Amino acid sequence: MNAYLKSVPDENGFFGDYGGAMLPPVLEPHFKEITEAYGRISKSAEFIKDLRYIRKHFQGRPTPVSHLRNLSEICGGAQIYAKREDLNHTGAHKLNHCMAEALLARHMGKTKLIAETGAGQHGVALATAAAYFGMECEIHMGEIDIEKEAPNVTRMKLLGCTVVPVGFGGRSLKEAVDSAFQSYVPQADHALFAIGSVVGPHPFPKMVRDFQHVVGIEAREQFLEMTGELPDMVGACVGGGSNAMGLFSGFMDDRSVALYGVEPMGTSSNLGDHAATISFGEDGEIHGFRTMVLKDANGDPAPVHTVASGLDYPGVGPEHAYLHRQGRVTYTTADDKEALDAFYALSRHEGIIPALESAHAIAFAMREARLNPGKSILVNLSGRGDKDIDYVTETYGFGDS
Ligand SMILES: *Cc1c(COP(=O)(O)O)cnc(C)c1O
């Protein structure tokens, strides 16, 4: 583990002013239990050995780094490289922390996993982990999302998971979180709550980052082996921020490497049209932790929009708010149109159909490549785009280049 990772968070889960655990009293003892178990079990030789085995023989790690030669040539300027998390089993980085969370649950003697899901990506990854370990899985999902994301609901059911429809309030992610926590409390003796990004109360921002660190470790070593140097720029899309923390954490101590988080600008910079929390938000509290938040006129979390449903969150992981304040990471944006252009370009010119979330990172790389001749840019291709092809082609066609 590098020096940076040891430096934050502190024992209460704070990254400077951000993070922590602001919990209702009924949840406090359960999060304490998870924090204690994580601290103890994740360092044990047996846990480390089990996780290595799973990564290699089930997930198919290490995933490669690919030099995107055609795209680099078209953009003219910098050389673009991608860390291929689209080739991780289930087609995205989320399985990295879900398998580890499930393994932790197993070592804690738990038999069930509980979580909420928005677009269903976290639900599918967690249901996959539950099936692997022979555990029960209960995923809470808003009725509106269930209708919108039917294929992911089918996947979860095939994987043996119980999908609990949430029909109150806005019937979406926020209500699904409340519903999942409510169901967890009376089951906490035999169930683990498993959060899907570097968000939520301590210890999840730290735990999920540490489980995603493998992406950065692999990428740094692979890039060095391919080119003999470190990349000049490293970028990743930021929703909650887990794929970005995974990649960034491998380069945090390399001061020559500039790090970039790419937030979704949606259709415009007006509140409600984007989900660029660090670019436009302010300090606040959401879902039990301190971070930056996009707020409406009443100070409540604002409605957000982006073409990539996995980036659709009015908060952000506390470590990103911290890294923004420290100046170690620069936060920038890509809008829906830039992401779609990148989606088509990577498909057409490299033979890789990216997730719309990851297309934001590709859009960033294409833009920066033109401006930085002679440099190298490594981005996280956090997931594959199979889930998005129907939506994209029905809404926008097949692209024109
Ligand atoms: C969920 C998801 C994201 C966003 O989550 P982070 O925690 O910000 O990484 C990005 N890419 C893909 C493919 C996803 O499924």
Side-chain angles (χ1 to χ4, degrees), residues 15 30 57 81 87 89 91 114 116 126 132 142 159 167 175 193 219-220 250 252 262 268 303 322 339 387 391:
F15 302 84
H30 304 311
H57 297 284
Y81 296 79
L87 296 178
H89 177 48
I114 299 179
E116 80 294 335
L126 198 65
Y132 178 92
L159 292 162
E175 292 75 24
F193 198 89
R220 187 178 187 281
M252 209 61 87
V262 186
S268 91
Y322 168 77
K387 66 185 180 59
Y391 170 76

Side-chain angles (χ1 to χ4, degrees), residues 271-282:
L271 192 67
D273 287 351
H274 63 80
T277 305
I278 293 183
S279 304
F280 297 101
E282 50 192 304

Side-chain angles (χ1 to χ4, degrees), residues 81-253:
Y81 296 79
K83 175 63 172 165
R84 301 290 306 280
E85 290 306 291
D86 59 315
L87 296 178
N88 196 30
H89 177 48
T90 71
H93 72 288
K94 284 195 177 73
L95 198 69
N96 297 331
H97 59 252
C98 285
M99 291 306 294
E101 285 176 329
L103 180 64
L104 178 67
R106 154 66 56 87
H107 279 253
M108 290 170 77
K110 310 278 187 195
T111 56
K112 182 169 184 173
L113 301 168
I114 299 179
E116 80 294 335
T117 194
Q121 297 297 103
H122 176 52
V124 169
L126 198 65
T128 301
Y132 178 92
F133 286 103
M135 287 180 178
E136 272 184 90
C137 186
E138 178 185 309
I139 301 289
H140 294 247
M141 190 169 182
E143 284 176 353
I144 292 187
D145 295 327
I146 287 180
E147 226 165 273
K148 276 203 323 219
E149 310 288 346
N152 277 342
V153 176
T154 304
R155 286 185 188 103
M156 283 187 268
K157 288 183 176 164
L158 278 171
L159 292 162
C161 163
T162 305
V163 180
V164 180
V166 179
F168 59 88
R171 298 187 295 146
S172 188
L173 180 61
K174 186 183 170 302
E175 292 75 24
V177 173
D178 295 338
S179 170
F181 272 121
Q182 252 172 42
S183 175
Y184 167 61
V185 171
Q187 303 190 72
D189 59 328
H190 67 279
L192 180 71
F193 198 89
I195 291 178
S197 185
V198 288
V199 299
H202 182 59
F204 283 93
K206 170 182 165 57
M207 198 161 95
V208 171
R209 172 197 73 183
D210 293 352
F211 290 151
Q212 287 293 343
H213 182 43
V214 63
V215 174
I217 295 176
E218 286 176 8
R220 187 178 187 281
E221 208 178 283
Q222 291 164 324
F223 194 93
L224 268 173
E225 195 195 304
M226 285 172 90
T227 70
E229 297 170 3
L230 289 172
D232 296 302
M233 306 164 80
V234 166
C237 67
V238 177
S242 64
N243 88 86
M245 276 322 306
L247 187 62
F248 294 172
S249 64
F251 297 93
M252 209 61 87
D253 294 339

